[in-house]
Amino acid sequence: MTDTARSSIDIGAVDFDGARVYAIPMRTRFRGITVREGMLIEGPAGWGEFCPFVDYDDQVSESWLATAIEQCTIGWPEPLRDRIPINCTVPAVGPERAHEITARSGCRTAKIKIADHPDSLAEDLARVEAVRDALGPNGAIRVDANGVWDVDTAVAHIRLIDKAASGLEYVEQPCRTIEELAAVRRKVDVRIAADESIRRAEDPLRVAVAGAADIAVIKCTPLGGVCRSLRVAQAAGLPCVVSSALETSVGLAAQLALAAALPELDHACGLGTLSLLEGDVVADPQSLRPVDGYLAVPKTPPTPDLALLDTYEMADTHHATWWRDRLGRVRARLDQA
């Protein structure tokens, strides 16, 4: 959080003590988890969401809390558009389920998780072919390997997956490092997108991705808020795709605010991820679920429904205490920064 942003925020007005801890089951294992956990925090401008994954340390979690504080205190920049095109998200599921998810989504772009285990190629190809069948010839397919391949594996697999897809829009983070991304980009005809290389960089404002990728995937929740993410997007110097961090509608609203504030937005965004959760803390019609492949941009943060907060209140009191202790530690780190 910059000094300028910090000076305009009254952190003392945020009700940290009254934060609610939630636990929402997931429809399918995603990113190795079956339950999404987090906290909802109320401030003078509404609610924010603090939901760093359980395995993230306190230092990494600082930016997640900065995003929540920005949202519930000062809000976001004025939007430049009132709706955002959305991709559906297809987890590492069988081809029939992949076809169903895509066909029911109403989206014209699909992002497919691949490479979830070392011998996944045959499954990946079948999943991609099923999604292409569901989308038809004019839909866009992008795949996400989460940085697990080496350069040679990435090159070989991208060529096969591109053929199965009858053309890929892009491949997201095929390898871990910037140098590996650049090497893959030189050897394939498919566009490369950088995600982890940006948000996990020591300084996302200075990471040199322009020579290693064609597209920047920006996630405002782990980057410290909408305003900072706009600066990261500008520094990347690439077309941007805004993607979620598996938030509820409360946190997703910040991601939508970022997508709405970008000077240019040429690609569908990965913000249709509520479909991965069994429920939400926000009731309809405020719940941020795509309609006909688009999400409307909310003018203010959605307000959690009290009955839903009770429904998804974390039942494990020991673990809920762990979350509250975590919030206290991370807040203390922000106060000292």
Side-chain angles (χ1 to χ4, degrees), residues 194 198 216-220 223 229 232-233 236 240-243 255 258:
I198 295 171
V217 177
I218 305 294
K219 297 179 177 179
C220 91
L223 283 173
S229 295
V232 171
C240 292
V241 169
V242 180
S243 189
Q255 306 276 20
L258 170 60

Side-chain angles (χ1 to χ4, degrees), residues 69 100 118 259 313:
I69 292 172
E100 178 188 7
E313 185 83 31

Side-chain angles (χ1 to χ4, degrees), residues 288-333:
L288 296 177
R289 301 183 187 278
V291 177
D292 297 328
Y294 288 85
L295 272 171
V297 177
K299 293 181 172 58
T300 58
T303 300
D305 180 270
L306 293 180
L308 290 172
L309 282 177
D310 290 341
T311 297
Y312 294 112
E313 185 83 31
M314 182 173 285
D316 184 337
T317 56
H318 177 77
H319 196 45
T321 298
W322 178 88
W323 269 100
R324 295 190 184 282
D325 291 343
R326 183 190 205 188
L327 175 62
R329 294 194 310 270
V330 177
R331 178 191 174 186
R333 290 180 64 95

Side-chain angles (χ1 to χ4, degrees), residues 33-236:
I33 63 173
T34 57
V35 177
R36 188 63 174 113
E37 305 173 2
M39 303 185 78
L40 300 171
I41 305 166
E42 189 174 13
W47 290 78
E49 182 165 354
F50 175 61
C51 58
F53 294 101
V54 172
D55 57 321
Y56 286 4
D57 64 24
D58 290 350
Q59 180 178 355
V60 171
S61 300
E62 285 183 50
S63 294
W64 295 67
L65 183 56
T67 301
I69 292 172
E70 176 193 67
Q71 178 168 342
C72 71
T73 56
I74 62 173
W76 309 306
E78 285 296 314
L80 302 178
R81 51 193 67 85
D82 59 9
R83 67 174 192 164
I84 306 298
I86 302 299
N87 68 246
C88 69
T89 300
V90 181
V93 294
E96 291 185 4
R97 178 64 177 143
H99 190 285
E100 178 188 7
I101 290 170
T102 306
R104 293 182 60 182
S105 71
C107 298
R108 300 307 306 150
T109 301
K111 173 180 172 177
I112 307 171
K113 288 293 184 179
I114 57 171
D116 71 314
H117 62 88
D119 299 316
S120 70
L121 179 59
E123 299 167 19
D124 296 338
L125 295 174
R127 189 178 309 120
V128 167
E129 289 171 350
V131 170
R132 170 56 69 199
D133 184 69
L135 282 176
N138 297 320
I141 293 178
R142 53 185 68 159
V143 295
D144 183 4
N146 286 121
V148 301
W149 289 330
D150 58 43
V151 171
D152 290 342
T153 301
V155 170
H157 286 202
I158 288 170
R159 288 172 176 164
L160 292 171
I161 293 170
D162 184 49
K163 183 177 180 181
S166 298
L168 288 169
E169 181 185 26
Y170 63 76
V171 178
E172 182 174 327
Q173 201 69 43
C175 303
R176 185 176 62 85
T177 69
I178 291 287
E179 294 75 19
E180 289 172 322
L181 292 186
V184 172
R185 185 169 176 255
R186 289 192 296 267
K187 295 180 179 182
V188 299
D189 295 327
V190 179
R191 286 181 291 187
I192 302 299
D195 173 11
E196 287 90 343
S197 292
I198 295 171
R199 62 184 170 85
R200 292 183 179 173
E202 183 173 341
D203 185 353
L205 285 164
R206 297 182 183 277
V207 61
V209 294
D214 305 280
I215 292 168
V217 177
I218 305 294
K219 297 179 177 179
C220 91
T221 304
L223 283 173
V226 175
C227 292
R228 185 165 189 262
S229 295
L230 287 170
R231 297 195 299 274
V232 171
Q234 181 180 24

